[in-house]
Amino acid sequence: MDETNTDVIQGTLDMLILKTLSLEPMHGFGIARRVEQISRGVFKVNPGSLLTALQRLERAGWLDSEWRQTENSRRAKFYALTRAGKKQLEVETADWTRRSSAIARVLKAEG
Amino acid sequence: MSFWRQLTHGLRVLTNRTAADGDLAEEVQDYLDQTTAAFEAKGLRAEEARRAARREIGNAILVREQVRASGWENVVETLLADLRYAARQLRNNPGFAATAILILGLGIGATTAIFSAVNPILFKPLPYPRSDRIMMIFEQRDGGERLPSFGTYEGLSERSRSFEAMAAMKPWQPAIVGIGEPELFEGQRVSAGYFRVLGVLPALGRDFQSADDQYNGPNVVILSDRLWRRRFSGDPQIIGRQITLENSSSQLAVNSSFTVIGVMPAGFENVLAPLAELWAPLQYNPSLPPDSREWGHHLRMVARLHSGVSKEQAASELDAILPAFGKAHAKGFESAGGIPAGVIVTSLHDHVASNVKPALLAILGAVVLVLLIASVNVTNLLLARGAQRRGEFAVRAALGAGQRRLMRQLITESLLLAVLGGTLGIVVAKLGVRVLVALSPPGLPRVAAIRVDSAVLIFALAITTCIGLLVGLVPAIHASRNDPHSGLQQSSRRSIGAHQGVRRSLVVSEVALALVLLVSAGLLLRSLDRLFSIDPGFDASHILTMQVQESGNRYARDDARARLFEQALESMRHLPGIASAAFVSQLPLSGDYEVYGIEFEAYSGQAEAAFRYAVSPDYFKAMRIPLRRGRLLDEGDRAGAPVAVLISESLAKSKFHDRDPIGQRVRMGPNMGHADKPWATIVGVVEDVKQLSLGVNEAEAFYTTPAQWAWVDNAQSVVVRTVGDAASLAAPVRNAIWSVDKDLPVVRVATMENLLAQTEAQRRFALIIFEAFALVALVLAATGIYGVLSGSVTERMREIGVRAALGATRESIVALVVRQGMTLTAFGMAIGLLGAAAASQGIVAMLFGVSPLDPVTYIAVIAMLGSVSLLACGVPAWRAARVDPAITLRAE
């Protein structure tokens, strides 16, 4: 097994999920795959954490869920962003940008 | 929003766990399938793809558990599971469960009941707006509180600026006549400001105004809600109606028709006279004639402070008013026993609570001790159960239950026990409150407010929770420390030692607590013994008493009234079984309190306050009050004859020391300071009589015949000495009185022995409760000792068997067990002695003639506790002695 750390950075999983769902409603596996693809394999999402996070986000009112047919006619639980979820994504994105650029500045200053 | 979602989602999961679990399982399965499909799409064969997907996702069950555990409902579920398990545990051990619940229920119930009695009296504010501003005002005489006269009230209320309102009051017992049977009521005569002082106004009609409270003013009356509903069926047209009252406490003839002007609200609680059902204005004479009832010390005075004025400021203002006013009314004050040294201002709440506070606090302390003992006992039971369940815990620990999980389980169990016990406790408290109210001494204030209300329920809940945690904690810590390995080996007995250690120290504390309670009960018992061995100054056996309240309007003239009482005496004398009969104006130990001034010719100008008795001549014979010098009163001391006075020994001693008082001359009450009034002559000295209570040494008194006093009292007590049982003559004596006038109200029928017992009702009340608690403590402590010893004998069966096999005699084995038990007892008693010495300081106020360190009590209690615990050791010891070495050794 390769030793590279593929864990999602702590505290960012919610944001990643919200961002992914802002494109289109998706089921759990779809979200995991999309995160993996877009991050080009840097992040791998663990299904236990993902499903727990989905349940939490749904209860927080940021996601809605429903059972639907997939394109290959299977039943899957699809998650969609709510209006509150959209707002939350903006808040978290802004917060993340602010903090990551700050970290980048600190690191540059040291380098 | 999100909270709502949390709640609904969680509840949906809770109410339909299978569906939720199915959903989750399907989602996880779907995830797995899609991962597999993705691997297949990459070109892996079906089998390989499935294996790869498993590897990536991990255990599907763990994923599900992870998601499940994240919701709040999961905590609830575990709790419910714990509760179910705990309930099953209790169901499977009904004996243990019943014992523990019973002990806790009694402990919590007793504590809750006592709290519900103590709370309204000591802690809750009185049921009036800004009740902290309501003050009682007393005259200060001989260093103590004395009831003020109307003169004092009038002087202070006219001049003082510290109070919003002031009022004086006295008891009143009118009978409502004219509608059905004449019925005697408790009432109050109050000055106009009374309800303004309390801050409660009539719900119907109007309050008293100063125009109502005029000398010879209009007859108006305010009714209580209860009286209004009961007697007038809540008639809303009652205001303005005339009712006929026979007024019994005025010396003046009054018109008996009263106009109803108001009805008090339903919730009005009158703490100053809880039984009062109707109120009329006082209507004393504000010009304060010096030889009138305006100077008798029979009023109580209550006032409401202006905001911003402190009690101390008010007191010093009143103190400053008194001397100048006293000079202006020197004659009046002289007939009242002189100008008081000052005033005493105490808050109404303190006044109401003061008499019972020490007793209530002591009882509260006692019940807390009982509760502690009960908790210790249940902890002990739980520990014993824990010992039996070591195998079970070991299995659970081995299966992966964490320490915290096990502790939580045990605490849940003890909390469940406590809640069940608490529920039983509330039932016990409801019954207990009834018993308390029934047993309560007559002077207990705010009895109506003693009930299980929300404050009491919160209190019960709080102690229940505390106890649940407390009794569960020790066994839980214990169980969590157990080594699962040794627990699984059923025969292992290695950790028994430490375990028994905790139980032993609990038993020691039980013995100590029981000793504290026993000593307190013992000290109270000895105090009552001492009190009742005090000579009241008369012979209380075979005396029947009752009060005749002649109503002012029909026997307006003194001579008519005097004749009435003489005729009543005459008709009583002819009854069989009566040795002698007499009337007295105030009955000793009945709560009567009437003090008048007396001045001695030999010490002119010096007034003395003393109890005044107007008695028919046979009074001393009926009461068996011994004559010390001179002669008793007799028929010759009639109106017109030179006035003859008897004085008590104390009064004689304080005035004449060793000289003979016979023949000395005095002026009393309204005659004091009047040079034109004739002197009365002291003709004899009688023994001191306890008037207020057995414990109070206030015995300065003088006696005259009613005929030679300034007026004939209209409320007089009959004192009848009977040949046989006193109580059985109540009906014939009452009929004899009614044969003279069938409408005479006769009240307060009691034997003198009853009255004597009543005077110490409060101590007796405390004693009954302490005795009950001490008994419970004793039983619980004995059970504790028994439990620990029998547990220890069971565990040491093998050792005892070996000893027996090696030749130990039965005696030595019995001694072994008994020594173990008595060592615990001895430790407990040593600690308890220190506790008792400290605790007895708390009940010092209730003790009489007994030191809090009274050696007799301590020795008796130690002997008693020792023998009871010896008894508790006996059974396990006997069992140990019967151990058959062959059987125990074979069992190995």
Side-chain angles (χ1 to χ4, degrees):
Chain A
M1 268 193 89
D2 92 64
E3 292 296 307
T4 329
N5 186 356
T6 57
D7 287 351
V8 173
I9 296 170
Q10 211 167 19
T12 60
L13 180 60
D14 288 6
M15 185 173 62
L16 296 183
I17 294 171
L18 292 175
K19 176 67 193 167
T20 313
L21 288 176
S22 70
L23 309 174
E24 58 175 326
M26 233 176 269
H27 48 65
F29 175 74
I31 299 170
R33 240 208 10 209
R34 186 67 64 87
V35 169
E36 208 178 318
Q37 282 172 354
I38 296 184
S39 72
R40 301 201 188 116
V42 172
F43 297 136
K44 265 196 174 167
V45 183
N46 158 325
S49 315
L50 177 70
L51 294 182
T52 308
L54 284 172
Q55 178 178 300
R56 187 177 60 242
L57 294 175
E58 186 180 355
R59 286 192 184 183
W62 297 331
L63 303 183
D64 275 332
S65 73
E66 78 180 311
W67 287 89
R68 260 203 264 157
Q69 299 286 323
T70 60
E71 53 274 27
N72 38 16
S73 72
R74 305 164 44 95
R75 244 170 67 84
K77 197 174 185 184
F78 275 77
Y79 294 88
L81 210 57
T82 61
R83 189 170 301 190
K86 247 173 227 153
K87 237 175 240 156
Q88 181 65 20
L89 174 61
E90 280 163 25
V91 172
E92 288 201 15
T93 316
D95 192 47
W96 174 255
T97 319
R98 189 172 58 80
R99 294 208 286 178
S100 61
S101 59
I103 289 171
R105 276 199 300 280
V106 171
L107 292 177
K108 246 177 229 155
E110 256 182 357
Chain B
M1 257 297 273
S2 80
F3 169 78
W4 182 243
R5 276 174 98 114
Q6 280 281 4
L7 193 70
T8 49
H9 280 243
L11 282 181
R12 205 179 309 146
V13 174
L14 270 184
T15 48
N16 200 347
R17 182 40 107 178
T18 359
D21 278 354
D23 254 20
L24 185 58
E26 202 179 333
E27 193 175 6
V28 173
Q29 186 59 46
D30 174 53
Y31 199 101
L32 193 64
D33 292 347
Q34 299 218 38
T35 315
T36 316
F39 276 115
E40 274 177 24
K42 275 188 192 160
L44 287 184
R45 274 184 290 117
E47 186 54 32
E48 275 174 327
R50 205 167 304 132
R51 218 174 300 137
R54 283 247 175 76
R55 205 162 43 231
E56 191 171 307
I57 290 175
N59 188 339
I61 294 176
L62 279 186
V63 171
R64 255 152 51 192
E65 279 306 309
Q66 194 184 346
V67 178
R68 268 184 76 158
S70 69
W72 62 265
E73 68 277 5
N74 186 54
V75 179
V76 176
E77 263 183 347
T78 335
L79 184 72
L80 286 178
D82 278 354
L83 268 181
R84 267 197 300 275
Y85 187 75
R88 203 155 53 225
Q89 277 294 331
L90 296 186
R91 255 206 316 278
N92 291 342
N93 295 277
F96 157 77
T99 316
I101 291 170
L102 195 69
I103 293 175
L104 285 177
L106 289 177
I108 294 173
T111 313
T112 308
I114 297 292
F115 176 78
S116 65
V118 171
N119 186 38
I121 300 172
L122 295 189
F123 304 131
K124 264 200 217 161
L126 294 175
Y128 307 118
R130 292 305 313 265
S131 60
D132 55 320
R133 290 208 205 126
I134 308 177
M135 300 289 145
M136 292 296 290
I137 299 170
F138 295 93
E139 289 183 6
Q140 188 186 340
R141 284 175 190 276
D142 315 324
E145 289 176 356
R146 294 290 177 270
L147 291 182
S149 65
F150 183 74
T152 305
Y153 161 73
E154 185 65 16
L156 295 181
S157 68
E158 229 171 53
R159 290 162 180 76
S160 164
R161 295 287 162 266
S162 303
F163 297 93
E164 270 178 52
M166 264 188 179
M169 76 207 97
K170 66 170 182 178
W172 180 41
Q173 283 153 325
I176 295 188
V177 293
I179 338 168
E181 290 228 325
E183 194 180 349
L184 200 74
F185 288 95
E186 289 292 325
Q188 275 180 296
R189 283 279 187 170
V190 297
S191 46
Y194 182 68
F195 293 115
R196 278 200 303 283
V197 170
L198 298 182
V200 183
L201 296 178
L204 215 62
R206 63 170 179 89
D207 190 6
F208 293 126
Q209 295 160 355
S210 44
D212 297 320
D213 189 17
Q214 301 283 339
Y215 188 50
N216 291 332
N219 275 331
V220 291
V221 66
I222 290 180
L223 308 178
S224 77
D225 181 80
R226 204 157 53 110
L227 177 61
W228 174 53
R229 286 182 198 284
R230 190 162 63 87
R231 196 73 199 224
F232 302 98
S233 46
D235 177 12
Q237 307 298 316
I238 186 86
I239 306 301
R241 227 173 99 178
Q242 301 283 317
I243 59 173
T244 310
L245 295 180
E246 290 219 334
N247 182 8
S248 63
S249 62
S250 165
Q251 287 138 12
L252 301 161
V254 285
N255 189 342
S256 59
S257 183
F258 280 71
T259 311
V260 178
I261 60 162
V263 177
M264 291 308 286
F268 173 57
E269 201 187 320
N270 190 31
V271 298
L272 281 158
L275 298 177
E277 298 205 85
L278 64 180
W279 296 269
L282 199 57
Q283 298 182 334
Y284 274 24
N285 187 351
S287 66
L288 306 177
D291 52 353
S292 64
R293 60 177 179 163
E294 276 70 20
W295 293 99
H297 296 275
H298 55 256
L299 296 178
R300 285 192 293 168
M301 193 168 160
V302 64
R304 177 178 281 268
L305 280 174
H306 271 300
S307 64
V309 179
S310 75
K311 189 170 82 175
E312 291 70 25
Q313 285 168 335
S316 58
E317 190 212 8
L318 297 183
D319 275 343
I321 291 172
L322 213 48
F325 177 69
K327 256 182 222 128
H329 289 271
K331 285 242 161 98
F333 272 114
E334 213 156 275
S335 75
I339 302 169
V343 293
I344 295 173
V345 179
T346 43
S347 83
L348 179 58
H349 190 260
D350 286 350
H351 171 71
V352 164
S354 62
N355 288 331
V356 291
K357 197 170 181 173
L360 287 181
L361 285 181
I363 290 171
L364 194 63
V367 85
V368 168
L369 291 187
V370 171
L371 187 63
L372 273 177
I373 297 178
S375 310
V376 169
N377 223 296
V378 172
T379 309
N380 245 337
L381 283 176
L382 283 172
L383 275 174
R385 284 269 308 138
Q388 293 163 21
R389 289 171 66 184
R390 285 175 63 232
E392 173 205 330
F393 290 130
V395 169
R396 293 187 63 172
L399 287 178
Q403 257 189 30
R404 292 178 64 184
R405 187 74 183 70
L406 282 183
M407 275 179 79
R408 196 167 70 183
Q409 173 66 45
L410 279 172
I411 300 265
T412 311
E413 282 182 36
S414 64
L415 271 176
L416 179 66
L417 267 184
V419 167
L420 291 174
T423 314
L424 177 66
I426 287 170
V427 177
V428 171
K430 286 210 165 184
L431 295 175
V433 162
R434 265 194 237 161
V435 174
L436 273 180
V437 170
L439 278 178
S440 66
L444 194 68
R446 305 212 60 200
V447 170
I450 297 177
R451 59 170 182 270
V452 178
D453 58 11
S454 56
V456 170
L457 287 178
I458 289 171
F459 173 82
L461 187 72
I463 57 171
T464 300
T465 318
C466 286
I467 285 172
L469 293 176
L470 218 69
V471 300
L473 212 58
V474 178
I477 291 171
H478 236 273
S480 72
R481 273 212 225 112
N482 269 345
D483 168 17
H485 181 68
S486 72
L488 284 174
Q489 297 171 312
Q490 281 300 315
S491 63
S492 164
R493 288 280 182 269
R494 255 179 296 170
S495 59
I496 291 291
H499 167 83
Q500 277 278 337
V502 176
R503 293 194 61 191
R504 279 182 202 143
S505 46
L506 287 177
V507 166
V508 167
S509 62
E510 264 182 304
V511 171
L513 291 169
L515 186 105
V516 172
L517 276 172
L518 283 168
V519 165
S520 307
L523 289 173
L524 281 174
L525 186 69
R526 297 254 301 152
S527 298
L528 271 182
D529 257 11
R530 283 278 160 89
L531 275 168
F532 285 116
S533 65
I534 287 179
D535 179 12
F538 57 88
D539 176 5
S541 63
H542 301 292
I543 290 187
L544 175 72
T545 73
M546 58 188 73
Q547 196 182 48
V548 178
Q549 300 194 329
E550 179 275 312
S551 45
N553 51 337
R554 272 182 308 169
Y555 299 89
R557 291 164 48 90
D558 275 354
D559 50 348
R561 195 179 298 144
R563 207 158 44 241
L564 169 79
F565 284 112
E566 268 161 32
Q567 284 169 351
L569 268 189
E570 200 49 45
S571 64
M572 272 184 259
R573 281 202 191 103
H574 296 306
L575 289 175
I578 285 187
S580 50
F583 274 106
V584 60
S585 58
Q586 61 173 337
L587 192 63
L589 301 179
S590 67
D592 286 347
Y593 180 95
E594 195 182 26
V595 166
Y596 275 88
I598 177 168
E599 72 174 319
F600 293 82
E601 191 184 25
Y603 306 88
S604 60
Q606 263 189 51
E608 193 78 25
F611 290 110
R612 191 264 325 192
Y613 299 89
V615 296
S616 60
D618 272 351
Y619 178 69
F620 302 96
K621 195 172 144 204
M623 292 283 277
R624 293 198 177 143
I625 299 173
L627 179 70
R628 290 293 179 224
R629 272 165 188 269
R631 67 163 175 96
L632 290 173
L633 300 175
D634 58 40
E635 300 298 335
D637 300 318
R638 66 182 81 245
V643 178
V645 184
L646 293 180
I647 60 174
S648 69
E649 253 186 320
S650 289
L651 189 58
K653 218 167 255 164
S654 78
K655 277 293 161 191
F656 301 103
H657 308 286
D658 297 329
R659 283 176 293 129
D660 188 1
I662 307 293
Q664 296 283 345
R665 301 201 299 172
V666 297
R667 277 198 194 102
M668 300 157 293
N671 288 354
M672 275 183 50
H674 289 268
D676 53 322
K677 296 281 166 95
W679 290 99
T681 310
I682 297 173
V683 298
V685 177
V686 290
E687 193 170 297
D688 288 347
V689 166
K690 302 282 181 194
Q691 174 65 27
L692 298 179
S693 80
L694 289 171
V696 175
N697 234 346
E698 210 173 295
E700 307 200 326
F702 60 89
Y703 300 80
T704 65
T705 59
Q708 294 192 329
W709 187 252
W711 60 76
V712 177
D713 294 80
N714 56 6
Q716 298 196 27
S717 292
V718 183
V719 176
V720 175
R721 176 159 296 277
T722 60
V723 178
D725 175 36
S728 65
L729 279 171
V733 169
R734 200 165 34 195
N735 288 335
I737 295 168
W738 281 337
S739 73
V740 179
D741 179 342
K742 66 173 174 44
D743 287 334
L744 273 182
V746 174
V747 292
R748 302 207 310 202
V749 181
T751 65
M752 200 69 221
E753 277 172 335
N754 264 340
L755 288 181
L756 200 66
Q758 281 296 317
T759 59
E760 295 308 327
Q762 201 183 317
R763 278 197 181 88
R764 188 181 290 263
F765 176 62
L767 176 65
I768 290 172
I769 289 179
F770 267 86
E771 275 176 342
F773 288 174
L775 190 70
V776 170
L778 192 62
V779 171
L780 287 179
T783 341
I785 294 171
Y786 167 80
V788 163
L789 280 192
S790 57
S792 140
V793 166
T794 311
E795 279 155 9
R796 292 170 71 185
M797 209 56 112
R798 187 171 147 258
E799 175 207 328
I800 293 168
V802 171
R803 279 172 190 258
L806 290 179
T809 58
R810 287 198 167 181
E811 289 74 37
S812 70
I813 290 172
V814 166
L816 181 78
V817 177
V818 169
R819 195 163 50 235
Q820 192 191 349
M822 293 313 281
T823 311
L824 296 182
T825 309
F827 269 119
M829 291 205 286
I831 298 167
L833 281 178
L834 296 178
S840 59
Q841 294 302 323
I843 57 166
V844 139
M846 280 192 299
L847 300 184
F848 181 89
V850 172
S851 145
L853 299 174
D854 178 46
V856 178
T857 309
Y858 281 75
I859 290 169
V861 165
I862 289 173
M864 181 169 160
L865 194 53
S867 33
V868 168
S869 58
L870 203 59
L871 218 64
C873 297
V875 182
W878 180 72
R879 211 155 56 90
R882 283 171 34 117
V883 166
D884 183 346
I887 294 173
T888 20
L889 292 180
R890 211 177 299 138
E892 277 301 299

